[in-house]
Amino acid sequence: MNTARLQQLDVAHVWHPFTPMQEYAREATPVIAAGDGFYLWDTDGRRYLDGVSSLWCNIHGHWVPEIDAAIRAQLELIAHSTLLGLGNIPSIELAHALVQRAPPGLNRVFYSDDGSTAVEAALKLAWQFHRQKSAEGSQRDIFIGLSGAYHGDTVGAVSVGGIDRFHAAYRGMLFPTMQIPAPVTYRTPPDHTAVSYLQFCFDELERVFREWGSRIAGLVIEPLVQAAAGMLVHPSGYLRRARELTAKHGALLIADEVAVGFGRTGTLFACEQEQVAPDLLCLSKGLTGGYMPLAATLATEEVYAEFLGEPADHRTFYHGHTYTGNPLACATALASLHLFEKNKLLENVARCEAVLKEKLQGLANHPHVGEVRQKGIIVGIELVRDRVTKEPFADDLRLGHKITLAARERGVLIRPIGDVIEIFPAPAMPPELVGKLCDVVFEAIDATLAAIKT
Ligand SMILES: *Cc1c(COP(=O)(O)O)cnc(C)c1O
């Protein structure tokens, strides 16, 4: 099929996620045909640098020989068998490999298919854990999330979410949760300074536990960076404090490392940077190197123990998905994990982090850059109409989207979060390419702003 025909059928039949389809249908969007390394090719043979790791999941690039070989080898054996009451080789080997690398104490691996289901499983595990642990546990009916939080799109994950644009439409179908303010200072209330506001956020964290401690089932948090919220970077010590308070009050700490895991923040897992071991750890996106859907919710022995008993006791976790522990996906993940060590990926991340830091300094005095946020190789550039008042650009201007189109014309694929431009390279991207990625993105920002003003 030629490009025009593919685009016609795409618009006729494919409903794209998080995509305003009326606008999409007007724009002749490239159709990806192939990938190699850090580039994607469309059906017309145009090449694009993958600037957001194919939506935050790609790790080693595309068409990676070692991963492809692992998939082929597994395919020679079996593509899928069920994990319900039955084992398979890759799911066992991967669980072992994950436990060896995860923060201490997380010895049990519950598989599912994507980030949302990893969080969904964690919420249900926490709920059931408390009820099976003690009679008082049934009082623990509150989950705490942060403002601006994003943990996926299933109903439980949305219930602990806090992004109005995505979540407001569903408020009526969600279960109630409590929200505490995210510890970030770009837009503080008028009666606060940055310092006093951060203190307020730490105080609020303390207060909910002081007032509601015995009712809290769990606190759900993205360690260090709230990605979908616009790459909001937390101050050091916040995660640590959340760990102390959850432990003190008998609540579970649920760390959602779906976006920040697998090297993006500079360590394999973000929790490591605050010496935190959560009770439940949600992993997905980068788990298979960005090749296949797979997720894991890791749990401590303490959580796991409450699900043991004779079958007739019905302490079982009655939850799972058809493709849970899929052998092809697990074999892929195992190959990806081994490449972290073989290719010394975290050293590359450190080099890329330095390149990004230096390049981003070039935006320091940009009249429309409100804030530049960076943690490891995660970057968010918030564009505003007025740098002093922080007044945003009008929504209907679609500035972030226009910048995406301008970058695409220049051979780079990115995706904005509103007017926050993100740079989210694969951890294995060579530093020179990361530099080039920045140059093109900055150019796309300036060209788009110039076009708006004329
Ligand atoms: C993407 C994401 C999810 C949801 O993962 P899906 O695979 O899209 O369901 C959950 N949590 C975080 C932090 C994410 O970035």
Side-chain angles (χ1 to χ4, degrees), residues 15-33:
W15 192 337
H16 290 262
F18 282 100
T19 304
M21 289 308 296
Q22 192 172 311
E23 178 189 60
Y24 181 86
R26 286 196 301 260
E27 297 169 346
T29 305
V31 178
I32 297 304

PDB file of all heavy atoms in Angstrom, residues 15-33:
ATOM      1  N   TRP A  15      -8.337   4.697  15.662  1.00  0.00           N
ATOM      2  CA  TRP A  15      -8.653   5.710  16.680  1.00  0.00           C
ATOM      3  C   TRP A  15      -7.407   5.838  17.548  1.00  0.00           C
ATOM      4  O   TRP A  15      -7.105   4.931  18.327  1.00  0.00           O
ATOM      5  CB  TRP A  15      -9.860   5.231  17.475  1.00  0.00           C
ATOM      6  CG  TRP A  15     -10.493   6.258  18.351  1.00  0.00           C
ATOM      7  CD1 TRP A  15      -9.930   7.382  18.853  1.00  0.00           C
ATOM      8  CD2 TRP A  15     -11.846   6.221  18.827  1.00  0.00           C
ATOM      9  NE1 TRP A  15     -10.835   8.072  19.613  1.00  0.00           N
ATOM     10  CE2 TRP A  15     -12.021   7.380  19.619  1.00  0.00           C
ATOM     11  CE3 TRP A  15     -12.921   5.348  18.689  1.00  0.00           C
ATOM     12  CZ2 TRP A  15     -13.227   7.660  20.270  1.00  0.00           C
ATOM     13  CZ3 TRP A  15     -14.113   5.631  19.334  1.00  0.00           C
ATOM     14  CH2 TRP A  15     -14.263   6.787  20.109  1.00  0.00           C
ATOM     15  N   HIS A  16      -6.690   6.926  17.431  1.00  0.00           N
ATOM     16  CA  HIS A  16      -5.397   7.054  18.106  1.00  0.00           C
ATOM     17  C   HIS A  16      -5.558   7.518  19.552  1.00  0.00           C
ATOM     18  O   HIS A  16      -6.408   8.373  19.828  1.00  0.00           O
ATOM     19  CB  HIS A  16      -4.495   8.026  17.343  1.00  0.00           C
ATOM     20  CG  HIS A  16      -4.036   7.479  16.030  1.00  0.00           C
ATOM     21  ND1 HIS A  16      -2.800   6.895  15.856  1.00  0.00           N
ATOM     22  CD2 HIS A  16      -4.660   7.392  14.828  1.00  0.00           C
ATOM     23  CE1 HIS A  16      -2.691   6.479  14.605  1.00  0.00           C
ATOM     24  NE2 HIS A  16      -3.794   6.767  13.956  1.00  0.00           N
ATOM     25  N   PRO A  17      -4.759   6.974  20.459  1.00  0.00           N
ATOM     26  CA  PRO A  17      -4.850   7.349  21.871  1.00  0.00           C
ATOM     27  C   PRO A  17      -4.378   8.788  22.101  1.00  0.00           C
ATOM     28  O   PRO A  17      -3.454   9.254  21.413  1.00  0.00           O
ATOM     29  CB  PRO A  17      -3.911   6.355  22.567  1.00  0.00           C
ATOM     30  CG  PRO A  17      -2.983   5.864  21.503  1.00  0.00           C
ATOM     31  CD  PRO A  17      -3.724   5.960  20.202  1.00  0.00           C
ATOM     32  N   PHE A  18      -4.999   9.453  23.060  1.00  0.00           N
ATOM     33  CA  PHE A  18      -4.602  10.815  23.440  1.00  0.00           C
ATOM     34  C   PHE A  18      -4.441  11.717  22.218  1.00  0.00           C
ATOM     35  O   PHE A  18      -3.537  12.549  22.177  1.00  0.00           O
ATOM     36  CB  PHE A  18      -3.278  10.795  24.221  1.00  0.00           C
ATOM     37  CG  PHE A  18      -3.425  10.378  25.660  1.00  0.00           C
ATOM     38  CD1 PHE A  18      -3.127   9.085  26.076  1.00  0.00           C
ATOM     39  CD2 PHE A  18      -3.865  11.290  26.613  1.00  0.00           C
ATOM     40  CE1 PHE A  18      -3.269   8.709  27.406  1.00  0.00           C
ATOM     41  CE2 PHE A  18      -3.998  10.922  27.948  1.00  0.00           C
ATOM     42  CZ  PHE A  18      -3.706   9.627  28.340  1.00  0.00           C
ATOM     43  N   THR A  19      -5.307  11.547  21.221  1.00  0.00           N
ATOM     44  CA  THR A  19      -5.138  12.300  19.980  1.00  0.00           C
ATOM     45  C   THR A  19      -6.461  12.942  19.571  1.00  0.00           C
ATOM     46  O   THR A  19      -7.458  12.232  19.403  1.00  0.00           O
ATOM     47  CB  THR A  19      -4.667  11.346  18.843  1.00  0.00           C
ATOM     48  OG1 THR A  19      -3.476  10.692  19.273  1.00  0.00           O
ATOM     49  CG2 THR A  19      -4.413  12.099  17.554  1.00  0.00           C
ATOM     50  N   PRO A  20      -6.472  14.291  19.446  1.00  0.00           N
ATOM     51  CA  PRO A  20      -7.690  14.941  18.934  1.00  0.00           C
ATOM     52  C   PRO A  20      -7.871  14.502  17.470  1.00  0.00           C
ATOM     53  O   PRO A  20      -7.142  14.950  16.591  1.00  0.00           O
ATOM     54  CB  PRO A  20      -7.379  16.437  19.033  1.00  0.00           C
ATOM     55  CG  PRO A  20      -6.136  16.541  19.867  1.00  0.00           C
ATOM     56  CD  PRO A  20      -5.399  15.248  19.723  1.00  0.00           C
ATOM     57  N   MET A  21      -8.828  13.615  17.232  1.00  0.00           N
ATOM     58  CA  MET A  21      -8.885  12.951  15.928  1.00  0.00           C
ATOM     59  C   MET A  21      -9.323  13.868  14.784  1.00  0.00           C
ATOM     60  O   MET A  21      -8.936  13.655  13.637  1.00  0.00           O
ATOM     61  CB  MET A  21      -9.790  11.708  16.005  1.00  0.00           C
ATOM     62  CG  MET A  21      -9.194  10.554  16.813  1.00  0.00           C
ATOM     63  SD  MET A  21      -7.503  10.059  16.319  1.00  0.00           S
ATOM     64  CE  MET A  21      -7.785   9.466  14.655  1.00  0.00           C
ATOM     65  N   GLN A  22     -10.120  14.891  15.116  1.00  0.00           N
ATOM     66  CA  GLN A  22     -10.557  15.793  14.041  1.00  0.00           C
ATOM     67  C   GLN A  22      -9.363  16.532  13.436  1.00  0.00           C
ATOM     68  O   GLN A  22      -9.232  16.639  12.227  1.00  0.00           O
ATOM     69  CB  GLN A  22     -11.589  16.774  14.605  1.00  0.00           C
ATOM     70  CG  GLN A  22     -12.326  17.556  13.544  1.00  0.00           C
ATOM     71  CD  GLN A  22     -13.451  18.362  14.169  1.00  0.00           C
ATOM     72  OE1 GLN A  22     -14.244  17.840  14.945  1.00  0.00           O
ATOM     73  NE2 GLN A  22     -13.513  19.639  13.837  1.00  0.00           N
ATOM     74  N   GLU A  23      -8.490  17.005  14.336  1.00  0.00           N
ATOM     75  CA  GLU A  23      -7.285  17.688  13.872  1.00  0.00           C
ATOM     76  C   GLU A  23      -6.347  16.708  13.169  1.00  0.00           C
ATOM     77  O   GLU A  23      -5.791  16.989  12.112  1.00  0.00           O
ATOM     78  CB  GLU A  23      -6.574  18.332  15.083  1.00  0.00           C
ATOM     79  CG  GLU A  23      -5.273  19.036  14.741  1.00  0.00           C
ATOM     80  CD  GLU A  23      -4.513  19.451  16.001  1.00  0.00           C
ATOM     81  OE1 GLU A  23      -4.151  18.564  16.813  1.00  0.00           O
ATOM     82  OE2 GLU A  23      -4.285  20.643  16.172  1.00  0.00           O
ATOM     83  N   TYR A  24      -6.205  15.514  13.770  1.00  0.00           N
ATOM     84  CA  TYR A  24      -5.317  14.493  13.209  1.00  0.00           C
ATOM     85  C   TYR A  24      -5.718  14.170  11.770  1.00  0.00           C
ATOM     86  O   TYR A  24      -4.873  14.024  10.883  1.00  0.00           O
ATOM     87  CB  TYR A  24      -5.387  13.237  14.072  1.00  0.00           C
ATOM     88  CG  TYR A  24      -4.492  12.093  13.630  1.00  0.00           C
ATOM     89  CD1 TYR A  24      -3.157  12.024  14.045  1.00  0.00           C
ATOM     90  CD2 TYR A  24      -4.984  11.078  12.802  1.00  0.00           C
ATOM     91  CE1 TYR A  24      -2.339  10.974  13.645  1.00  0.00           C
ATOM     92  CE2 TYR A  24      -4.170  10.038  12.397  1.00  0.00           C
ATOM     93  CZ  TYR A  24      -2.851   9.979  12.827  1.00  0.00           C
ATOM     94  OH  TYR A  24      -2.043   8.944  12.429  1.00  0.00           O
ATOM     95  N   ALA A  25      -7.011  14.092  11.531  1.00  0.00           N
ATOM     96  CA  ALA A  25      -7.502  13.734  10.194  1.00  0.00           C
ATOM     97  C   ALA A  25      -7.147  14.796   9.153  1.00  0.00           C
ATOM     98  O   ALA A  25      -7.061  14.520   7.968  1.00  0.00           O
ATOM     99  CB  ALA A  25      -9.004  13.503  10.237  1.00  0.00           C
ATOM    100  N   ARG A  26      -6.938  16.042   9.628  1.00  0.00           N
ATOM    101  CA  ARG A  26      -6.592  17.137   8.710  1.00  0.00           C
ATOM    102  C   ARG A  26      -5.116  17.144   8.357  1.00  0.00           C
ATOM    103  O   ARG A  26      -4.717  17.694   7.351  1.00  0.00           O
ATOM    104  CB  ARG A  26      -6.924  18.488   9.361  1.00  0.00           C
ATOM    105  CG  ARG A  26      -8.387  18.841   9.429  1.00  0.00           C
ATOM    106  CD  ARG A  26      -8.567  20.332   9.713  1.00  0.00           C
ATOM    107  NE  ARG A  26      -7.955  20.757  10.969  1.00  0.00           N
ATOM    108  CZ  ARG A  26      -8.623  20.941  12.115  1.00  0.00           C
ATOM    109  NH1 ARG A  26      -9.917  20.728  12.158  1.00  0.00           N
ATOM    110  NH2 ARG A  26      -7.992  21.333  13.201  1.00  0.00           N
ATOM    111  N   GLU A  27      -4.303  16.596   9.267  1.00  0.00           N
ATOM    112  CA  GLU A  27      -2.850  16.674   9.082  1.00  0.00           C
ATOM    113  C   GLU A  27      -2.364  15.354   8.490  1.00  0.00           C
ATOM    114  O   GLU A  27      -2.612  14.301   9.055  1.00  0.00           O
ATOM    115  CB  GLU A  27      -2.163  16.914  10.441  1.00  0.00           C
ATOM    116  CG  GLU A  27      -2.560  18.232  11.079  1.00  0.00           C
ATOM    117  CD  GLU A  27      -2.100  18.338  12.535  1.00  0.00           C
ATOM    118  OE1 GLU A  27      -1.716  17.309  13.124  1.00  0.00           O
ATOM    119  OE2 GLU A  27      -2.151  19.461  13.064  1.00  0.00           O
ATOM    120  N   ALA A  28      -1.681  15.412   7.385  1.00  0.00           N
ATOM    121  CA  ALA A  28      -1.145  14.172   6.797  1.00  0.00           C
ATOM    122  C   ALA A  28       0.032  13.709   7.658  1.00  0.00           C
ATOM    123  O   ALA A  28       1.130  14.221   7.552  1.00  0.00           O
ATOM    124  CB  ALA A  28      -0.705  14.418   5.372  1.00  0.00           C
ATOM    125  N   THR A  29      -0.259  12.767   8.562  1.00  0.00           N
ATOM    126  CA  THR A  29       0.740  12.342   9.534  1.00  0.00           C
ATOM    127  C   THR A  29       1.563  11.186   8.969  1.00  0.00           C
ATOM    128  O   THR A  29       0.997  10.289   8.352  1.00  0.00           O
ATOM    129  CB  THR A  29       0.035  11.915  10.830  1.00  0.00           C
ATOM    130  OG1 THR A  29      -0.788  13.000  11.262  1.00  0.00           O
ATOM    131  CG2 THR A  29       1.019  11.595  11.926  1.00  0.00           C
ATOM    132  N   PRO A  30       2.878  11.219   9.190  1.00  0.00           N
ATOM    133  CA  PRO A  30       3.707  10.131   8.658  1.00  0.00           C
ATOM    134  C   PRO A  30       3.264   8.769   9.191  1.00  0.00           C
ATOM    135  O   PRO A  30       2.738   8.657  10.292  1.00  0.00           O
ATOM    136  CB  PRO A  30       5.108  10.468   9.175  1.00  0.00           C
ATOM    137  CG  PRO A  30       5.067  11.864   9.652  1.00  0.00           C
ATOM    138  CD  PRO A  30       3.652  12.212   9.934  1.00  0.00           C
ATOM    139  N   VAL A  31       3.479   7.763   8.399  1.00  0.00           N
ATOM    140  CA  VAL A  31       3.223   6.387   8.804  1.00  0.00           C
ATOM    141  C   VAL A  31       4.589   5.713   8.926  1.00  0.00           C
ATOM    142  O   VAL A  31       5.377   5.714   7.987  1.00  0.00           O
ATOM    143  CB  VAL A  31       2.362   5.655   7.756  1.00  0.00           C
ATOM    144  CG1 VAL A  31       2.146   4.197   8.170  1.00  0.00           C
ATOM    145  CG2 VAL A  31       1.025   6.369   7.570  1.00  0.00           C
ATOM    146  N   ILE A  32       4.862   5.187  10.113  1.00  0.00           N
ATOM    147  CA  ILE A  32       6.192   4.606  10.350  1.00  0.00           C
ATOM    148  C   ILE A  32       6.263   3.203   9.748  1.00  0.00           C
ATOM    149  O   ILE A  32       5.363   2.377   9.934  1.00  0.00           O
ATOM    150  CB  ILE A  32       6.502   4.580  11.856  1.00  0.00           C
ATOM    151  CG1 ILE A  32       6.541   6.013  12.415  1.00  0.00           C
ATOM    152  CG2 ILE A  32       7.820   3.852  12.133  1.00  0.00           C
ATOM    153  CD1 ILE A  32       7.509   6.967  11.727  1.00  0.00           C
ATOM    154  N   ALA A  33       7.347   2.978   9.057  1.00  0.00           N
ATOM    155  CA  ALA A  33       7.519   1.688   8.392  1.00  0.00           C
ATOM    156  C   ALA A  33       8.653   0.881   9.004  1.00  0.00           C
ATOM    157  O   ALA A  33       8.603  -0.351   9.013  1.00  0.00           O
ATOM    158  CB  ALA A  33       7.801   1.906   6.906  1.00  0.00           C
TER     159      ALA A  33
END
